[in-house]
Amino acid sequence: MKVKTILVSQPEPKIENSPYFDLQEKQKVKVDFRPFIHVEGVSAKEIRQQKIDLTKYTAIILTSRNSVDHFFRVAEEMRFKVPDTMKYFCQSEAVAYYLQKYVVYRKRKIYVGKRTFEDLSPLIKKYKDETFLLPTTDKVKPIIPETLDSLNVNWKQATFYKTVISDLSDLANVYYDILVFFSPSGIESLFHNFPDFKQNDTRIAVFGNTTVKAVKEKGLRVDISAPTPETPSMTMALQKYIDAVNKGK
């Protein structure tokens, strides 16, 4: 069956040259964006209840843009002036670059991993005398605490924001040829909103092994997956699939 409509379970890209817009133009398909999950900040009061005193930490581990935003939001709510001596350990260049929204980059001690949390671990180990705070979501990949425990460093995890299921009731009678998911939370949201969801002819595209697992556990079929050596991005995987099924256009 040919593909005419795609729903991506993420916010619409803010950049004009997003590959999704190129896909839409090139393949003449309609691409809609709708976050199936969203992030809500945890109050300063709740963070205090987690026994977090920001003055006790000399280094912050930042795994995402959300962790950056919510660390500085909480610091402001607590009237905590982040000292210039604070060290920042960022999981990726994208996170480090985003940090510039809050600090003067060249004047701070910022250490950057390549992409995965494991890439960051040698840098953390090098500074094992620091006291690390990991401001994070309520749904943390197990590899993160496991890695930090294995490094024998002084660290504490705190929930600064939560992943919340979005209300999708307005999509009840809307059909898309492809649904695109990037996390198990997206699948959880799908079934929370539509407990009787049947896949039928809907194609499901997923990114990452944990998302593939979540789809299969729900008895659904994975039609498109990324990353692969041939299609390292979701848009490339979609492009390849649409090229194959829309040939008769």
Side-chain angles (χ1 to χ4, degrees), residues 203-223:
R203 271 61 59 87
I204 290 181
V206 297
F207 192 91
N209 293 334
T210 55
T211 317
V212 169
K213 185 169 178 273
V215 169
K216 289 182 176 177
E217 282 174 353
K218 290 292 186 181
L220 302 178
R221 182 185 68 249
V222 175
D223 300 284

Tab-separated table of all heavy atoms in Angstrom, residues 203-223:
chain	number	residue	atom	x	y	z
A	203	ARG	N	1.431	1.212	9.036
A	203	ARG	CA	2.839	0.841	9.156
A	203	ARG	C	3.440	1.533	10.385
A	203	ARG	O	3.134	2.714	10.625
A	203	ARG	CB	3.617	1.256	7.901
A	203	ARG	CG	3.659	0.222	6.792
A	203	ARG	CD	2.313	-0.177	6.201
A	203	ARG	NE	1.514	0.879	5.604
A	203	ARG	CZ	1.591	1.311	4.355
A	203	ARG	NH1	2.473	0.790	3.523
A	203	ARG	NH2	0.762	2.243	3.892
A	204	ILE	N	4.284	0.817	11.113
A	204	ILE	CA	4.930	1.401	12.295
A	204	ILE	C	6.425	1.494	12.055
A	204	ILE	O	7.081	0.516	11.705
A	204	ILE	CB	4.612	0.581	13.564
A	204	ILE	CG1	3.129	0.784	13.926
A	204	ILE	CG2	5.503	1.002	14.730
A	204	ILE	CD1	2.676	0.051	15.159
A	205	ALA	N	6.944	2.720	12.244
A	205	ALA	CA	8.382	2.986	12.111
A	205	ALA	C	8.939	3.271	13.503
A	205	ALA	O	8.330	4.030	14.270
A	205	ALA	CB	8.611	4.186	11.194
A	206	VAL	N	10.065	2.647	13.832
A	206	VAL	CA	10.620	2.821	15.183
A	206	VAL	C	12.113	3.115	15.127
A	206	VAL	O	12.818	2.663	14.225
A	206	VAL	CB	10.383	1.571	16.068
A	206	VAL	CG1	8.919	1.322	16.277
A	206	VAL	CG2	11.025	0.339	15.468
A	207	PHE	N	12.562	3.872	16.137
A	207	PHE	CA	13.984	4.199	16.244
A	207	PHE	C	14.521	3.591	17.533
A	207	PHE	O	14.028	3.873	18.622
A	207	PHE	CB	14.181	5.720	16.257
A	207	PHE	CG	15.616	6.127	16.072
A	207	PHE	CD1	16.123	6.359	14.808
A	207	PHE	CD2	16.470	6.263	17.162
A	207	PHE	CE1	17.455	6.724	14.619
A	207	PHE	CE2	17.796	6.621	16.990
A	207	PHE	CZ	18.286	6.850	15.715
A	208	GLY	N	15.540	2.741	17.395
A	208	GLY	CA	16.211	2.178	18.567
A	208	GLY	C	15.670	0.821	19.002
A	208	GLY	O	14.479	0.528	18.844
A	209	ASN	N	16.555	0.010	19.547
A	209	ASN	CA	16.211	-1.365	19.941
A	209	ASN	C	15.171	-1.442	21.048
A	209	ASN	O	14.319	-2.327	21.056
A	209	ASN	CB	17.470	-2.116	20.390
A	209	ASN	CG	18.431	-2.337	19.235
A	209	ASN	OD1	18.012	-2.388	18.086
A	209	ASN	ND2	19.716	-2.452	19.526
A	210	THR	N	15.231	-0.494	22.015
A	210	THR	CA	14.266	-0.551	23.125
A	210	THR	C	12.859	-0.251	22.616
A	210	THR	O	11.882	-0.800	23.124
A	210	THR	CB	14.630	0.444	24.253
A	210	THR	OG1	14.744	1.764	23.697
A	210	THR	CG2	15.932	0.062	24.935
A	211	THR	N	12.763	0.611	21.593
A	211	THR	CA	11.446	0.926	21.021
A	211	THR	C	10.924	-0.262	20.221
A	211	THR	O	9.731	-0.586	20.285
A	211	THR	CB	11.520	2.186	20.129
A	211	THR	OG1	12.323	3.174	20.791
A	211	THR	CG2	10.158	2.775	19.881
A	212	VAL	N	11.809	-0.922	19.482
A	212	VAL	CA	11.426	-2.145	18.745
A	212	VAL	C	10.844	-3.164	19.724
A	212	VAL	O	9.784	-3.753	19.482
A	212	VAL	CB	12.646	-2.755	17.999
A	212	VAL	CG1	12.314	-4.142	17.471
A	212	VAL	CG2	13.083	-1.849	16.851
A	213	LYS	N	11.522	-3.354	20.845
A	213	LYS	CA	11.097	-4.318	21.868
A	213	LYS	C	9.703	-3.958	22.402
A	213	LYS	O	8.833	-4.814	22.552
A	213	LYS	CB	12.129	-4.335	23.002
A	213	LYS	CG	11.888	-5.386	24.077
A	213	LYS	CD	13.113	-5.493	24.980
A	213	LYS	CE	12.913	-6.489	26.106
A	213	LYS	NZ	12.281	-5.914	27.296
A	214	ALA	N	9.497	-2.647	22.685
A	214	ALA	CA	8.212	-2.188	23.227
A	214	ALA	C	7.071	-2.431	22.239
A	214	ALA	O	5.971	-2.821	22.630
A	214	ALA	CB	8.294	-0.701	23.578
A	215	VAL	N	7.346	-2.232	20.946
A	215	VAL	CA	6.336	-2.452	19.895
A	215	VAL	C	5.965	-3.932	19.833
A	215	VAL	O	4.784	-4.298	19.823
A	215	VAL	CB	6.857	-1.961	18.518
A	215	VAL	CG1	5.940	-2.415	17.392
A	215	VAL	CG2	6.975	-0.439	18.503
A	216	LYS	N	6.975	-4.776	19.832
A	216	LYS	CA	6.734	-6.221	19.723
A	216	LYS	C	6.023	-6.781	20.952
A	216	LYS	O	5.196	-7.685	20.846
A	216	LYS	CB	8.052	-6.952	19.468
A	216	LYS	CG	8.605	-6.692	18.064
A	216	LYS	CD	9.892	-7.451	17.800
A	216	LYS	CE	10.342	-7.241	16.352
A	216	LYS	NZ	11.632	-7.899	16.075
A	217	GLU	N	6.338	-6.235	22.125
A	217	GLU	CA	5.678	-6.690	23.356
A	217	GLU	C	4.177	-6.396	23.341
A	217	GLU	O	3.401	-7.048	24.031
A	217	GLU	CB	6.328	-6.031	24.585
A	217	GLU	CG	7.649	-6.684	24.961
A	217	GLU	CD	8.371	-5.964	26.079
A	217	GLU	OE1	7.919	-4.865	26.495
A	217	GLU	OE2	9.402	-6.484	26.549
A	218	LYS	N	3.790	-5.390	22.565
A	218	LYS	CA	2.370	-5.050	22.422
A	218	LYS	C	1.716	-5.839	21.286
A	218	LYS	O	0.552	-5.610	20.952
A	218	LYS	CB	2.204	-3.545	22.166
A	218	LYS	CG	2.519	-2.674	23.366
A	218	LYS	CD	1.484	-2.859	24.464
A	218	LYS	CE	1.711	-1.890	25.614
A	218	LYS	NZ	0.722	-2.085	26.699
A	219	GLY	N	2.483	-6.756	20.691
A	219	GLY	CA	1.935	-7.593	19.627
A	219	GLY	C	1.795	-6.873	18.297
A	219	GLY	O	1.048	-7.301	17.417
A	220	LEU	N	2.529	-5.771	18.145
A	220	LEU	CA	2.472	-5.004	16.901
A	220	LEU	C	3.602	-5.408	15.962
A	220	LEU	O	4.576	-6.039	16.377
A	220	LEU	CB	2.546	-3.499	17.195
A	220	LEU	CG	1.455	-2.929	18.116
A	220	LEU	CD1	1.679	-1.446	18.343
A	220	LEU	CD2	0.067	-3.188	17.555
A	221	ARG	N	3.477	-4.992	14.732
A	221	ARG	CA	4.449	-5.324	13.675
A	221	ARG	C	5.346	-4.111	13.419
A	221	ARG	O	4.870	-2.997	13.259
A	221	ARG	CB	3.650	-5.662	12.410
A	221	ARG	CG	4.446	-6.083	11.203
A	221	ARG	CD	3.515	-6.264	9.998
A	221	ARG	NE	2.955	-4.985	9.530
A	221	ARG	CZ	1.669	-4.641	9.639
A	221	ARG	NH1	0.784	-5.441	10.212
A	221	ARG	NH2	1.244	-3.467	9.189
A	222	VAL	N	6.650	-4.352	13.385
A	222	VAL	CA	7.602	-3.287	13.020
A	222	VAL	C	7.830	-3.351	11.516
A	222	VAL	O	8.321	-4.349	10.997
A	222	VAL	CB	8.950	-3.452	13.768
A	222	VAL	CG1	9.953	-2.426	13.285
A	222	VAL	CG2	8.749	-3.326	15.276
A	223	ASP	N	7.458	-2.286	10.822
A	223	ASP	CA	7.610	-2.256	9.359
A	223	ASP	C	8.874	-1.516	8.912
A	223	ASP	O	9.446	-1.818	7.870
A	223	ASP	CB	6.388	-1.583	8.723
A	223	ASP	CG	5.095	-2.329	9.051
A	223	ASP	OD1	4.867	-3.389	8.456
A	223	ASP	OD2	4.334	-1.850	9.916
